[in-house]
Amino acid sequence: MDALPPGWPDEVAPPGAPGWERTAVAWLYDLVPPDYRSHEVLRRYPVLLARFAADHVEAGLEAARAGWRTVRVELADQLPADAMEAAISAYEREGARLGRAARGVEVVAAALRGERWVPRL
């Protein structure tokens, strides 16, 4: 089997494996709001679905970053210290998850476009 690019999602079969595009599409749909499934154009063109997923994940990442930066100021007098620390931790975990998802979308989208990843020495 060929090596996979860094960040390739575990849920997606390697490019060229039987049904790999089906696993890619399923994974991409898991990243976006359920209503995206109603758009025929996204079902017909997985590379477009990848674009929508990239935009959605990036927006979520920006929201997590903004929340992390502002939650202490905006809710300082409304949350006890332990809840504030838990909120910060949740923002950090969500940011990390979305960062991994963004990298995954990037490499899956490249594969859907027919690009072949070649490891560098």
Side-chain angles (χ1 to χ4, degrees):
M1 176 174 72
D2 291 336
L4 293 172
W8 189 267
D10 292 337
E11 301 86 350
V12 179
W20 89 268
E21 285 190 14
R22 182 182 41 77
T23 66
V25 166
W27 180 76
L28 290 166
Y29 272 126
D30 285 346
L31 295 176
V32 299
D35 291 348
Y36 280 32
R37 293 176 188 272
S38 68
H39 300 292
E40 173 64 27
V41 69
L42 300 181
R43 288 195 305 273
R44 288 190 61 202
Y45 300 101
V47 71
L48 182 60
L49 173 60
R51 168 62 190 268
F52 271 60
D55 291 343
H56 183 75
V57 168
E58 184 60 33
L61 187 53
E62 285 303 312
R65 288 174 178 155
W68 182 87
R69 285 191 309 269
T70 62
V71 69
R72 285 188 196 275
V73 173
E74 292 178 4
L75 296 178
D77 59 347
Q78 311 220 346
L79 294 175
D82 62 326
M84 183 61 70
E85 291 310 310
I88 294 294
S89 179
Y91 274 122
E92 289 169 349
R93 285 191 313 275
E94 187 62 8
R97 182 190 73 80
L98 289 166
R100 288 188 303 274
R103 174 63 181 149
V105 170
E106 182 182 315
V107 296
V108 167
L112 286 168
R113 290 190 304 267
E115 297 174 21
R116 186 162 179 257
W117 183 75
V118 178
R120 293 196 173 101
L121 298 177

